Coordinates of all heavy atoms in Angstrom, one line a residue:
M1 N -6.9 0.4 -3.7 CA -7.1 0.6 -5.1 C -7.7 -0.7 -5.7 O -8.5 -0.6 -6.6 CB -5.7 0.9 -5.8 CG -5.8 0.8 -7.2 SD -4.9 2.1 -8.1 CE -5.0 1.4 -9.7
S2 N -7.2 -1.8 -5.3 CA -7.7 -3.0 -5.9 C -9.2 -3.2 -5.7 O -9.9 -3.7 -6.6 CB -7.0 -4.2 -5.3 OG -7.2 -4.4 -4.0
S3 N -9.8 -2.8 -4.6 CA -11.2 -3.0 -4.4 C -12.0 -2.1 -5.3 O -13.2 -2.4 -5.6 CB -11.6 -2.8 -2.9 OG -11.3 -1.4 -2.6
A4 N -11.4 -1.0 -5.7 CA -12.1 -0.1 -6.6 C -11.8 -0.4 -8.1 O -12.7 -0.3 -9.0 CB -11.8 1.4 -6.3
F5 N -10.6 -0.7 -8.4 CA -10.1 -0.8 -9.8 C -10.5 -2.2 -10.4 O -10.8 -2.3 -11.6 CB -8.6 -0.6 -9.9 CG -8.1 -0.5 -11.3 CD1 -8.5 0.5 -12.1 CD2 -7.3 -1.5 -11.7 CE1 -8.0 0.5 -13.4 CE2 -6.8 -1.5 -13.0 CZ -7.2 -0.5 -13.9
V6 N -10.3 -3.3 -9.7 CA -10.5 -4.6 -10.2 C -11.9 -4.8 -10.7 O -12.1 -5.3 -11.9 CB -10.1 -5.7 -9.2 CG1 -10.5 -7.1 -9.7 CG2 -8.6 -5.6 -9.0
P7 N -13.0 -4.4 -10.0 CA -14.3 -4.6 -10.6 C -14.6 -3.8 -11.8 O -15.2 -4.3 -12.8 CB -15.2 -4.2 -9.4 CG -14.4 -4.3 -8.2 CD -13.0 -4.0 -8.6
V8 N -14.0 -2.6 -11.8 CA -14.2 -1.7 -13.0 C -13.4 -2.3 -14.2 O -14.0 -2.3 -15.3 CB -13.7 -0.3 -12.7 CG1 -13.6 0.6 -13.9 CG2 -14.6 0.4 -11.6
L9 N -12.2 -2.8 -13.9 CA -11.4 -3.4 -15.0 C -12.1 -4.6 -15.5 O -12.2 -4.9 -16.7 CB -10.0 -3.7 -14.5 CG -9.1 -4.4 -15.5 CD1 -8.8 -3.5 -16.7 CD2 -7.8 -4.8 -14.8
T10 N -12.7 -5.5 -14.7 CA -13.3 -6.7 -15.1 C -14.5 -6.4 -16.0 O -14.7 -7.0 -17.0 CB -13.8 -7.5 -13.9 OG1 -12.7 -7.8 -13.0 CG2 -14.5 -8.8 -14.3
E11 N -15.3 -5.4 -15.5 CA -16.5 -5.0 -16.3 C -16.1 -4.4 -17.7 O -16.6 -4.7 -18.7 CB -17.4 -4.0 -15.6 CG -18.6 -3.6 -16.3 CD -19.4 -2.6 -15.5 OE1 -19.3 -2.6 -14.2 OE2 -20.2 -1.8 -16.1
Y12 N -15.1 -3.6 -17.6 CA -14.5 -2.9 -18.8 C -14.0 -4.0 -19.8 O -14.2 -3.9 -21.0 CB -13.4 -1.9 -18.4 CG -13.1 -0.9 -19.5 CD1 -13.8 0.2 -19.8 CD2 -11.9 -1.2 -20.3 CE1 -13.5 1.1 -20.8 CE2 -11.6 -0.3 -21.3 CZ -12.4 0.9 -21.5 OH -12.0 1.7 -22.5
R13 N -13.3 -5.0 -19.3 CA -12.8 -6.0 -20.1 C -13.9 -6.8 -20.8 O -13.8 -7.2 -21.9 CB -11.9 -6.9 -19.2 CG -11.2 -8.0 -20.0 CD -10.3 -8.8 -19.0 NE -9.8 -10.0 -19.6 CZ -9.2 -10.9 -18.9 NH1 -9.1 -10.8 -17.6 NH2 -8.7 -12.0 -19.6
Q14 N -14.9 -7.1 -20.0 CA -16.1 -7.9 -20.6 C -16.8 -7.1 -21.7 O -17.2 -7.7 -22.7 CB -17.1 -8.3 -19.5 CG -16.5 -9.3 -18.6 CD -17.5 -9.5 -17.4 OE1 -18.4 -8.8 -17.2 NE2 -17.2 -10.6 -16.6
K15 N -16.9 -5.8 -21.5 CA -17.7 -5.0 -22.5 C -16.8 -4.5 -23.7 O -17.3 -4.5 -24.8 CB -18.3 -3.8 -21.8 CG -19.4 -4.1 -20.8 CD -20.0 -2.9 -20.2 CE -21.1 -3.3 -19.3 NZ -21.7 -2.1 -18.6
Q16 N -15.5 -4.2 -23.4 CA -14.7 -3.5 -24.4 C -13.7 -4.5 -25.0 O -13.1 -4.2 -26.1 CB -14.0 -2.3 -23.8 CG -14.9 -1.3 -23.2 CD -15.7 -0.6 -24.3 OE1 -15.3 -0.4 -25.4 NE2 -16.9 -0.1 -23.9
G17 N -13.3 -5.5 -24.3 CA -12.4 -6.5 -24.8 C -11.0 -6.4 -24.2 O -10.7 -5.4 -23.4
E18 N -10.2 -7.3 -24.4 CA -8.8 -7.4 -23.8 C -7.9 -6.3 -24.1 O -7.3 -5.7 -23.3 CB -8.2 -8.8 -24.2 CG -6.9 -9.1 -23.5 CD -7.1 -9.5 -22.1 OE1 -8.1 -10.0 -21.8 OE2 -6.1 -9.2 -21.3
E19 N -7.9 -5.9 -25.4 CA -7.0 -4.8 -25.8 C -7.4 -3.5 -25.1 O -6.5 -2.7 -24.7 CB -7.1 -4.6 -27.3 CG -5.9 -4.0 -27.9 CD -6.0 -4.0 -29.5 OE1 -6.0 -5.2 -30.0 OE2 -6.0 -3.0 -30.1
A20 N -8.7 -3.2 -25.0 CA -9.1 -2.0 -24.3 C -8.8 -2.0 -22.8 O -8.4 -1.0 -22.2 CB -10.6 -1.7 -24.6
A21 N -8.9 -3.2 -22.3 CA -8.6 -3.3 -20.8 C -7.1 -3.1 -20.6 O -6.7 -2.4 -19.6 CB -9.0 -4.7 -20.3
V22 N -6.2 -3.6 -21.5 CA -4.8 -3.4 -21.3 C -4.5 -1.9 -21.4 O -3.7 -1.3 -20.7 CB -4.0 -4.2 -22.4 CG1 -2.6 -3.8 -22.4 CG2 -4.1 -5.7 -22.1
R23 N -5.2 -1.2 -22.3 CA -5.0 0.2 -22.5 C -5.4 1.0 -21.3 O -4.7 1.9 -20.8 CB -5.7 0.7 -23.7 CG -5.5 2.2 -24.0 CD -6.1 2.5 -25.4 NE -5.9 3.9 -25.7 CZ -6.7 4.9 -25.4 NH1 -7.8 4.7 -24.8 NH2 -6.4 6.2 -25.7
L24 N -6.5 0.6 -20.7 CA -7.0 1.2 -19.4 C -6.0 1.0 -18.3 O -5.7 2.0 -17.6 CB -8.4 0.6 -19.0 CG -8.9 1.1 -17.7 CD1 -9.3 2.6 -17.8 CD2 -10.2 0.3 -17.3
V25 N -5.4 -0.2 -18.2 CA -4.4 -0.4 -17.1 C -3.2 0.4 -17.3 O -2.7 1.0 -16.4 CB -4.0 -1.9 -17.1 CG1 -2.8 -2.2 -16.2 CG2 -5.2 -2.8 -16.6
R26 N -2.7 0.5 -18.6 CA -1.6 1.4 -18.9 C -1.8 2.8 -18.5 O -1.0 3.5 -17.9 CB -1.2 1.3 -20.3 CG -0.5 0.0 -20.6 CD 0.0 -0.1 -22.1 NE 0.6 -1.3 -22.4 CZ 0.7 -1.9 -23.6 NH1 0.2 -1.2 -24.6 NH2 1.2 -3.1 -23.8
I27 N -3.0 3.4 -18.9 CA -3.3 4.7 -18.6 C -3.4 5.0 -17.1 O -2.9 6.0 -16.6 CB -4.6 5.1 -19.3 CG1 -4.4 5.2 -20.9 CG2 -5.2 6.5 -18.8 CD1 -5.7 5.3 -21.6
T28 N -4.1 4.1 -16.4 CA -4.3 4.2 -15.0 C -2.9 4.2 -14.3 O -2.6 5.1 -13.4 CB -5.2 3.1 -14.4 OG1 -6.4 3.1 -15.1 CG2 -5.4 3.3 -13.0
F29 N -2.1 3.3 -14.6 CA -0.8 3.2 -13.9 C 0.2 4.3 -14.3 O 1.0 4.7 -13.4 CB -0.2 1.8 -14.0 CG -0.8 0.8 -13.1 CD1 -1.7 -0.2 -13.7 CD2 -0.7 0.8 -11.8 CE1 -2.3 -1.1 -12.9 CE2 -1.3 -0.1 -10.9 CZ -2.1 -1.1 -11.5
T30 N 0.1 4.7 -15.5 CA 0.9 5.9 -15.9 C 0.5 7.1 -15.1 O 1.3 7.9 -14.6 CB 0.8 6.1 -17.4 OG1 1.2 5.0 -18.1 CG2 1.6 7.3 -17.8
F31 N -0.8 7.3 -15.0 CA -1.4 8.4 -14.2 C -0.9 8.4 -12.7 O -0.4 9.4 -12.2 CB -2.9 8.5 -14.3 CG -3.5 9.5 -13.4 CD1 -3.5 10.9 -13.8 CD2 -4.1 9.2 -12.3 CE1 -4.1 11.9 -13.1 CE2 -4.7 10.2 -11.5 CZ -4.7 11.5 -11.9
I32 N -1.0 7.2 -12.2 CA -0.6 7.0 -10.8 C 0.9 7.3 -10.6 O 1.3 7.9 -9.6 CB -1.0 5.6 -10.2 CG1 -2.5 5.5 -10.1 CG2 -0.3 5.3 -8.9 CD1 -3.0 4.1 -9.8
L33 N 1.7 6.7 -11.5 CA 3.1 6.9 -11.4 C 3.5 8.4 -11.5 O 4.3 8.9 -10.7 CB 3.8 6.2 -12.6 CG 5.3 6.2 -12.6 CD1 5.9 5.5 -11.4 CD2 5.8 5.6 -13.9
V34 N 2.8 9.1 -12.4 CA 3.1 10.6 -12.6 C 2.7 11.3 -11.3 O 3.5 12.2 -10.8 CB 2.4 11.1 -13.8 CG1 2.5 12.6 -13.9 CG2 3.1 10.5 -15.1
V35 N 1.5 11.1 -10.8 CA 1.0 11.8 -9.6 C 1.9 11.5 -8.4 O 2.3 12.4 -7.7 CB -0.5 11.5 -9.4 CG1 -0.9 12.0 -8.0 CG2 -1.3 12.0 -10.5
V36 N 2.1 10.2 -8.2 CA 3.0 9.9 -7.0 C 4.4 10.4 -7.1 O 5.0 10.9 -6.2 CB 3.0 8.4 -6.8 CG1 4.0 8.0 -5.7 CG2 1.6 7.9 -6.4
G37 N 4.9 10.4 -8.3 CA 6.3 10.9 -8.6 C 6.3 12.4 -8.3 O 7.2 12.9 -7.7
L38 N 5.3 13.1 -8.8 CA 5.2 14.6 -8.6 C 5.1 14.9 -7.1 O 5.8 15.8 -6.6 CB 4.0 15.1 -9.4 CG 3.9 16.6 -9.4 CD1 5.1 17.3 -10.0 CD2 2.6 17.1 -10.1
V39 N 4.2 14.2 -6.4 CA 4.0 14.4 -5.0 C 5.4 14.2 -4.2 O 5.8 14.9 -3.4 CB 2.9 13.5 -4.4 CG1 2.9 13.5 -2.9 CG2 1.6 14.0 -4.9
C40 N 6.0 13.1 -4.6 CA 7.3 12.8 -4.0 C 8.4 13.9 -4.3 O 9.1 14.3 -3.3 CB 7.8 11.4 -4.6 SG 9.2 10.7 -3.7
V41 N 8.5 14.3 -5.5 CA 9.5 15.4 -5.8 C 9.1 16.7 -5.1 O 10.0 17.3 -4.5 CB 9.6 15.6 -7.3 CG1 10.3 16.8 -7.7 CG2 10.2 14.4 -8.0
L42 N 7.9 17.0 -5.1 CA 7.5 18.2 -4.3 C 7.7 18.1 -2.8 O 8.1 19.1 -2.2 CB 6.0 18.5 -4.6 CG 5.7 19.0 -6.0 CD1 4.2 19.2 -6.2 CD2 6.4 20.3 -6.3
G43 N 7.5 16.9 -2.3 CA 7.7 16.7 -0.9 C 9.2 16.8 -0.5 O 9.6 17.4 0.5
I44 N 10.1 16.3 -1.4 CA 11.5 16.4 -1.2 C 11.9 17.9 -1.3 O 12.7 18.4 -0.5 CB 12.3 15.5 -2.2 CG1 12.0 14.1 -1.9 CG2 13.8 15.9 -2.2 CD1 12.5 13.1 -2.9
I45 N 11.4 18.6 -2.3 CA 11.8 20.0 -2.5 C 11.3 20.9 -1.3 O 12.1 21.7 -0.8 CB 11.2 20.6 -3.8 CG1 12.0 19.9 -5.0 CG2 11.4 22.1 -3.9 CD1 11.3 20.2 -6.4
F46 N 10.1 20.6 -0.9 CA 9.5 21.5 0.2 C 9.6 20.9 1.6 O 8.9 21.2 2.5 CB 8.0 21.8 -0.2 CG 7.9 22.6 -1.4 CD1 7.4 22.1 -2.6 CD2 8.2 24.0 -1.3 CE1 7.2 22.9 -3.7 CE2 8.1 24.8 -2.4 CZ 7.6 24.3 -3.6
S47 N 10.6 20.0 1.8 CA 10.8 19.4 3.1 C 11.0 20.4 4.2 O 10.5 20.3 5.3 CB 12.0 18.4 3.0 OG 11.6 17.2 2.4
P48 N 11.8 21.5 3.9 CA 12.0 22.5 5.0 C 10.7 23.1 5.4 O 10.4 23.3 6.6 CB 12.9 23.5 4.4 CG 13.7 22.8 3.4 CD 12.7 21.8 2.8
A49 N 9.8 23.4 4.5 CA 8.5 24.0 4.8 C 7.6 23.0 5.6 O 6.9 23.3 6.5 CB 7.8 24.5 3.6
I50 N 7.7 21.7 5.1 CA 6.9 20.7 5.8 C 7.3 20.5 7.3 O 6.5 20.4 8.2 CB 7.0 19.4 5.0 CG1 6.3 19.5 3.7 CG2 6.4 18.2 5.8 CD1 6.6 18.3 2.7
V51 N 8.6 20.5 7.5 CA 9.2 20.3 8.8 C 8.8 21.5 9.7 O 8.5 21.4 10.8 CB 10.7 20.1 8.8 CG1 11.3 20.1 10.2 CG2 11.0 18.7 8.1
T52 N 8.9 22.7 9.1 CA 8.5 23.9 9.8 C 7.1 23.9 10.3 O 6.8 24.3 11.4 CB 8.8 25.2 9.0 OG1 10.2 25.2 8.6 CG2 8.4 26.4 9.7
V53 N 6.2 23.4 9.4 CA 4.8 23.3 9.8 C 4.5 22.2 10.8 O 3.8 22.5 11.8 CB 3.9 23.1 8.5 CG1 2.5 22.8 8.9 CG2 4.0 24.3 7.6
V54 N 5.1 21.1 10.6 CA 4.8 19.9 11.5 C 5.5 20.1 12.8 O 5.0 19.7 13.9 CB 5.2 18.6 10.8 CG1 5.1 17.4 11.7 CG2 4.4 18.4 9.5
S55 N 6.8 20.6 12.8 CA 7.6 20.7 14.0 C 8.2 22.1 14.1 O 9.4 22.2 14.0 CB 8.7 19.6 14.0 OG 8.2 18.3 13.8
P56 N 7.4 23.1 14.5 CA 7.9 24.4 14.5 C 9.0 24.6 15.6 O 9.8 25.5 15.4 CB 6.6 25.3 14.8 CG 5.6 24.3 15.4 CD 6.0 23.0 14.8
G57 N 9.0 23.9 16.6 CA 10.0 24.0 17.6 C 11.4 23.6 17.1 O 12.4 24.1 17.7
F58 N 11.5 22.8 16.1 CA 12.8 22.4 15.6 C 13.6 23.5 14.9 O 14.8 23.5 14.7 CB 12.7 21.3 14.6 CG 12.3 19.9 15.2 CD1 12.0 19.8 16.6 CD2 12.4 18.8 14.5 CE1 11.7 18.6 17.1 CE2 12.1 17.5 15.1 CZ 11.8 17.4 16.4
V59 N 12.9 24.6 14.5 CA 13.5 25.7 13.8 C 14.5 26.4 14.7 O 15.5 26.9 14.3 CB 12.4 26.7 13.3 CG1 13.0 27.9 12.7 CG2 11.5 26.0 12.3
K60 N 14.2 26.4 16.0 CA 15.1 27.0 17.0 C 16.5 26.3 17.1 O 17.4 26.9 17.6 CB 14.4 27.1 18.4 CG 13.2 27.9 18.4 CD 12.5 27.8 19.7 CE 11.2 28.6 19.7 NZ 10.4 28.4 20.9
S61 N 16.5 25.0 16.8 CA 17.7 24.3 16.8 C 18.2 23.9 15.4 O 17.7 23.0 14.8 CB 17.5 23.0 17.6 OG 18.7 22.2 17.5
P62 N 19.1 24.7 14.8 CA 19.5 24.5 13.4 C 20.0 23.0 13.1 O 19.7 22.5 12.1 CB 20.7 25.4 13.2 CG 20.5 26.5 14.3 CD 19.9 25.8 15.4
E63 N 20.7 22.4 14.1 CA 21.2 21.1 13.8 C 20.0 20.1 13.8 O 20.0 19.2 12.9 CB 22.1 20.7 15.0 CG 22.8 19.3 14.7 CD 23.8 19.0 15.8 OE1 24.7 19.8 16.1 OE2 23.7 17.9 16.4
K64 N 19.1 20.2 14.7 CA 17.9 19.3 14.7 C 17.1 19.5 13.5 O 16.6 18.6 12.9 CB 17.1 19.6 16.0 CG 16.0 18.6 16.2 CD 15.1 18.9 17.4 CE 15.8 18.5 18.7 NZ 14.9 18.6 19.9
F65 N 16.9 20.8 13.1 CA 16.1 21.1 11.9 C 16.7 20.6 10.7 O 16.0 19.9 9.9 CB 16.0 22.7 11.8 CG 15.1 23.1 10.6 CD1 13.7 23.0 10.7 CD2 15.7 23.6 9.5 CE1 13.0 23.4 9.6 CE2 15.0 24.0 8.4 CZ 13.6 23.9 8.4
S66 N 18.0 20.7 10.5 CA 18.6 20.2 9.2 C 18.6 18.7 9.2 O 18.4 18.1 8.1 CB 20.1 20.8 9.1 OG 20.9 20.3 10.1
M67 N 18.8 18.1 10.3 CA 18.7 16.6 10.4 C 17.3 16.1 10.1 O 17.1 15.1 9.3 CB 19.2 16.1 11.8 CG 19.1 14.6 11.9 SD 20.3 13.7 10.7 CE 21.8 14.1 11.5
T68 N 16.3 16.8 10.6 CA 14.9 16.4 10.3 C 14.6 16.6 8.9 O 13.9 15.8 8.3 CB 14.0 17.2 11.2 OG1 14.4 17.1 12.6 CG2 12.5 16.8 11.1
V69 N 15.0 17.7 8.3 CA 14.8 17.9 6.9 C 15.5 16.8 6.0 O 14.9 16.3 5.1 CB 15.3 19.3 6.4 CG1 15.3 19.5 4.9 CG2 14.5 20.4 7.0
L70 N 16.7 16.5 6.4 CA 17.4 15.4 5.6 C 16.6 14.1 5.7 O 16.4 13.4 4.7 CB 18.8 15.3 6.2 CG 19.6 14.1 5.6 CD1 19.9 14.3 4.1 CD2 20.9 13.9 6.3
L71 N 16.2 13.7 7.0 CA 15.5 12.5 7.1 C 14.1 12.5 6.4 O 13.7 11.5 5.9 CB 15.4 12.2 8.6 CG 16.7 11.8 9.3 CD1 16.4 11.7 10.8 CD2 17.3 10.6 8.8
T72 N 13.5 13.7 6.4 CA 12.2 13.8 5.7 C 12.5 13.6 4.2 O 11.7 12.9 3.6 CB 11.6 15.2 5.9 OG1 11.4 15.4 7.3 CG2 10.3 15.3 5.2
R73 N 13.5 14.1 3.7 CA 13.8 13.9 2.3 C 14.1 12.5 1.9 O 13.8 12.0 0.9 CB 15.0 14.8 1.9 CG 14.6 16.3 1.7 CD 15.7 17.1 1.3 NE 15.2 18.5 1.0 CZ 15.9 19.6 1.1 NH1 17.2 19.5 1.5 NH2 15.4 20.7 0.9
I74 N 14.8 11.8 2.9 CA 15.1 10.4 2.6 C 13.9 9.5 2.7 O 13.7 8.6 1.9 CB 16.2 9.9 3.7 CG1 17.5 10.6 3.4 CG2 16.3 8.4 3.7 CD1 18.6 10.4 4.5
M75 N 13.0 9.8 3.7 CA 11.9 9.0 3.9 C 10.6 9.3 3.1 O 9.7 8.5 2.9 CB 11.4 9.1 5.4 CG 12.5 8.4 6.3 SD 12.8 6.7 6.0 CE 11.2 6.0 6.3
F76 N 10.6 10.5 2.5 CA 9.4 10.9 1.7 C 9.0 9.9 0.6 O 7.8 9.6 0.5 CB 9.6 12.3 1.2 CG 8.3 13.0 1.1 CD1 7.8 13.8 2.1 CD2 7.5 12.9 -0.1 CE1 6.6 14.4 2.0 CE2 6.3 13.5 -0.2 CZ 5.8 14.3 0.9
P77 N 9.9 9.4 -0.2 CA 9.5 8.5 -1.2 C 8.8 7.2 -0.7 O 7.9 6.8 -1.3 CB 10.8 8.1 -1.9 CG 11.7 9.3 -1.7 CD 11.4 9.8 -0.3
S78 N 9.2 6.7 0.4 CA 8.6 5.5 1.0 C 7.2 5.9 1.6 O 6.3 5.0 1.6 CB 9.4 4.8 2.0 OG 9.6 5.7 3.1
C79 N 7.0 7.1 2.0 CA 5.7 7.5 2.6 C 4.7 7.8 1.5 O 3.5 7.7 1.7 CB 5.9 8.7 3.5 SG 6.9 8.4 4.9
S80 N 5.2 8.2 0.3 CA 4.3 8.6 -0.8 C 3.7 7.4 -1.5 O 2.6 7.5 -2.0 CB 5.1 9.4 -1.8 OG 5.6 10.6 -1.3
V81 N 4.4 6.3 -1.4 CA 3.9 5.1 -2.1 C 2.9 4.5 -1.2 O 1.8 4.1 -1.3 CB 5.0 4.1 -2.4 CG1 4.5 2.9 -3.1 CG2 6.0 4.8 -3.3

């Protein structure tokens, strides 16, 4: 993100001023926070479906499937960021 955003921000700051640049940063990071948060929540909710698609053989073993779903839910926030 830094290689794409920093040059744009620098140019925007030079043309529009400091206040406009701060506003752009706030809008950008709010958008990123909302999108990543939404992806994270959806990933946690749909963990059983994700595990079924990625590891269809685990469905045959309920214990392995439930453990994999739990671990997917725990690890999903760190993978989304």
Side-chain angles (χ1 to χ4, degrees):
M1 167 143 168
S2 64
S3 64
F5 186 69
V6 171
V8 171
L9 179 63
T10 303
E11 182 180 337
Y12 195 81
R13 184 178 171 193
Q14 289 173 349
K15 290 182 179 179
Q16 302 293 328
E18 185 73 28
E19 203 170 300
V22 169
R23 185 171 181 266
L24 177 65
V25 169
R26 285 185 183 155
I27 291 169
T28 303
F29 283 108
T30 300
F31 176 76
I32 290 170
L33 181 68
V34 169
V35 170
V36 170
L38 184 63
V39 168
C40 191
V41 168
L42 290 174
I44 290 170
I45 291 170
F46 293 108
S47 286
I50 294 169
V51 171
T52 301
V53 169
V54 174
S55 305
F58 286 12
V59 176
K60 296 175 186 173
S61 172
E63 186 177 310
K64 187 184 284 189
F65 180 77
S66 65
M67 181 61 72
T68 306
V69 168
L70 175 64
L71 291 174
T72 301
R73 286 180 172 155
I74 290 170
M75 293 301 296
F76 210 91
S78 66
C79 297
S80 299
V81 179

